[in-house]
């Protein structure tokens, strides 16, 4: 019979990552653990991270959260995808929705049928075959137990952390306010034994979760896990963020508009708009970025705009000795597809599933590290796709992105699609073929050929099938309420 040797968990940092970890551990393993989270009011959090992807719903369901309660507390709105402007070329606009595109068969993806229809002169826009995409276009939304709509949330990061804090404390997690001044290690093993706070308090633990953000106080500054830099593939490194009052009904999508050295986001919440200007400091000065950003804002900022520096890349190992890094401490793929909160939730869920009750099993540590790295690399490839597959040649930034070498894994995917219209989805893939399809086409990747399965049907039958599918989607979307109206009745924020 094994006995439990790991019981005291200390979470360093109380941003989104820290409180997600606290919520998952306290809710699922609370009776078996002593959980303490330490955060510093003086240091604060990164203060961005307000757009999510649909996996957040699964995480919330596992926690047993009430959706309306969470949305009211975080002043959240619904998100059905991202609208991209000026990415494939200046003036382009496409949508990456969370929906399924058409109906695939065992023989091949829907895109082959659609391309056959296009070759025969009908078929229309690929987006006509996606419910969520059409709902974005018309800014409509509804959810119910019966409706099958794939959605995520836009949320206020500060309010969300506060909500998860209350949830975690109700499940037994303890919060300590203070600044970690020193990380104390065992002189023989190098394992972390305690955190010394600046006021002299000491927090001892068996397992430490590093959620201290980019500084990686435990995983990097103490345990020197190392960092693999991905700047050559994801060259943006700065963002200016500011909030403005809402001036119109909330849209159910994030807007990502490219500019000559990066892109700008708009995230509509119930009470305000989150805005950010992402850029590559090698190609645009901070002054110019700030001026451009302020000129593009829809309204006056509610607070002083904040400059955030970052570096895209991955911690070599996110689990080192008795420390696991989550959130920005573990690595960062820039925010274009809003994947960081998902990766935190996934990491926290894997931790619950693989909790090292009996000590640090090297095989478990290796597996956790491999899994985390694979997940991050797949997200990385998907994000690089947006930068690399472009015809923009209007600035040194886009010329660099368009001509850079990309990871082999991504180059293979693009080649499969470009030559034969094939899309692949591996077991670990976060983004499904539907996502790759929408973004590849949006980024102007035009397949030279496609599977001929569509020719097995008489043209009239193919036309009828596609017309009927399109019509069903259009009718269903027309029956949805406006997104803002649905928000107002479903979960109005106080
Ligand atoms: C520009 C930008 C836009 C983003 N947009 C999105 C998005 O739309 N969607 C998404 O999913 N993700 C996004 N992200 C990522 C997202 O913001 C983070 O994943 C998320 O906020 C988690 O951050 P964190 O908790 O790891 O770090 P932080 O928020 O930085 O929190 C660190 C915590 O550690 C504490 N701390 C640090 N040092 C000490 C110390 N010495 N003593 C005590 N406490 C300490 C701090 O007080 C704080 O509580 C974005 C990131 C950036 C940079």
């Amino acid at each position: 019979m094994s006995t439990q040797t790991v019981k005291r968990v200390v979470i360093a940092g109380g941003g989104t990552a820290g409180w997600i970890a606290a919520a998952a551990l306290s809710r699922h393993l609370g009776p078996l653990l002593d959980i303490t989270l330490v955060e510093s009011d003086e240091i604060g959090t990164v203060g961005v991270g307000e757009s999510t992807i649909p996996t957040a719903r699964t995480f919330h369901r596992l926690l047993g959260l009430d959706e309306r309660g969470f949305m009211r507390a975080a002043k959240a709105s619904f998100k059905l995808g991202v609208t991209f402007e000026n990415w494939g070329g200046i003036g382009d606009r496409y949508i990456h929705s969370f929906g399924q595109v058409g109906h695939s068969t065992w023989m091949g993806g829907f895109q082959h049928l659609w391309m056959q229809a296009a070759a025969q002169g009908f078929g229309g826009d690929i987006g006509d075959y996606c419910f969520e995409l059409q709902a974005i276009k018309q800014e409509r939304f509804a959810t119910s137990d019966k409706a099958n709509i794939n959605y995520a949330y836009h949320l206020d990061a500060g309010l969300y952390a506060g909500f998860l804090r209350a949830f975690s404390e109700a499940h037994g997690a303890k919060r300590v306010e203070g600044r970690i001044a020193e990380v104390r290690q065992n002189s023989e093993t190098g394992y972390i034994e305690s955190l010394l706070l600046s006021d002299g308090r000491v927090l001892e633990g068996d397992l430490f979760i590093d959620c201290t953000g980019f500084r990686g106080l435990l995983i990097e500054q103490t345990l020197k896990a190392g960092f693999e830099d991905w700047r050559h593939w994801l060259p943006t490194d700065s963002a200016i963020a500011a909030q403005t009052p809402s001036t119109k009904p909330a849209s159910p999508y994030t807007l990502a508009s490219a500019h000559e050295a990066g892109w700008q986001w708009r995230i509509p919440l119930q009470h305000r708009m989150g805005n950010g200007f992402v850029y590559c400091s090698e190609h645009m000065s901070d002054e110019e970025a700030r001026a451009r950003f302020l000129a593009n804002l829809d309204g006056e900022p509610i607070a002083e705009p904040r400059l955030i520096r970052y570096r895209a890349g991955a911690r070599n190992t996110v689990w080192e000795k008795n420390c696991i890094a989550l959130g920005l401490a573990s690595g960062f793929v820039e925010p274009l597809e809003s994947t960081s909160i998902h990766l935190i939730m996934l990491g926290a869920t894997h931790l619950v599933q693989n909790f090292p009750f009996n000590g640090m099993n090297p095989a478990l540590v290796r597996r956790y590290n491999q899994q985390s790295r694979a997940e991050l690399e797949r997200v990385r490839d998907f994000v690089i796709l947006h930068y690399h597959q472009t015809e923009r040649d209007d600035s040194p930034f886009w010329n660099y992105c368009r001509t850079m070498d990309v990871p082999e894994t991504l180059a293979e995917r693009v080649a499969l699609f470009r030559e034969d219209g094939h899309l692949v989805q591996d077991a670990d893939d976060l983004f499904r073929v539907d996502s790759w399809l929408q973004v590849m086409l949006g980024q102007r990747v035009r397949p030279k050929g496609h599977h001929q399965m569509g020719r097995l049907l008489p043209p009239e039958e193919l036309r009828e099938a596609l017309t009927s599918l399109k019509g069903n989607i259009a009718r269903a979307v027309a029956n949805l309420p406006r997104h803002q109206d649905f928000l107002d009745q479903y979960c109005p924020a106080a």
Side-chain angles (χ1 to χ4, degrees), residues 13-14 16-17 40 44-46 48-49 51 178 180 211-212 215 328 332 335 340-341:
T16 309
S40 158
T45 65
V46 71
V48 282
S51 186
I180 303 162
C211 299
T212 59
R215 49 179 69 73
L328 299 171
F332 184 52
S340 288
I341 294 173

Side-chain angles (χ1 to χ4, degrees), residues 168-278:
S168 307
E169 288 179 331
H171 286 87
K174 290 183 280 298
R175 173 186 184 262
V176 171
E177 199 286 317
R179 195 170 59 77
I180 303 162
E182 192 185 324
V183 180
R184 292 182 165 166
Q185 293 170 271
N186 181 290
S187 56
E188 279 168 25
T189 62
Y191 276 41
I192 297 174
E193 290 183 333
S194 62
L195 305 180
L196 172 68
L197 305 191
S198 57
D199 60 8
R201 282 176 293 169
V202 174
L203 298 177
E204 292 182 339
D206 305 314
L207 180 70
F208 291 81
I209 316 291
D210 187 349
C211 299
T212 59
F214 288 123
R215 49 179 69 73
L217 199 60
L218 283 63
I219 194 78
E220 193 58 57
Q221 292 187 33
T222 307
L223 296 174
K224 316 272 184 254
F227 188 78
E228 189 176 304
D229 198 322
W230 290 342
R231 221 175 339 195
H232 50 296
W233 288 319
L234 295 166
T236 69
D237 57 8
S238 308
I240 304 177
Q243 302 154 359
T244 49
S246 300
T247 54
K248 52 185 183 201
S251 308
Y253 60 85
T254 303
L255 180 64
S257 314
H259 56 75
E260 69 260 30
W263 59 282
Q264 177 164 358
W265 80 72
R266 271 194 196 166
I267 299 176
L269 304 179
Q270 288 194 43
H271 59 312
R272 62 164 169 81
M273 182 74 83
N275 308 274
F277 193 89
V278 172

Side-chain angles (χ1 to χ4, degrees), residues 110-179:
F110 175 77
Q111 73 275 12
H112 298 296
L113 296 176
W114 174 71
M115 285 188 269
Q116 186 59 42
Q120 291 170 209
F122 61 94
D125 196 298
I126 190 86
D128 296 345
Y129 302 95
C130 178
F131 178 67
E132 285 78 354
L133 194 149
Q134 291 304 313
I136 285 180
K137 278 189 163 174
Q138 297 189 30
E139 309 219 351
R140 293 180 183 274
F141 184 87
T143 176
S144 76
D145 292 345
K146 292 174 211 88
N148 192 13
I149 188 163
N150 200 22
Y151 64 91
Y153 310 107
H154 296 128
L155 46 84
D156 181 310
L159 295 176
Y160 184 55
F163 175 79
L164 291 178
R165 173 182 162 187
F167 177 90
S168 307
E169 288 179 331
H171 286 87
K174 290 183 280 298
R175 173 186 184 262
V176 171
E177 199 286 317
R179 195 170 59 77

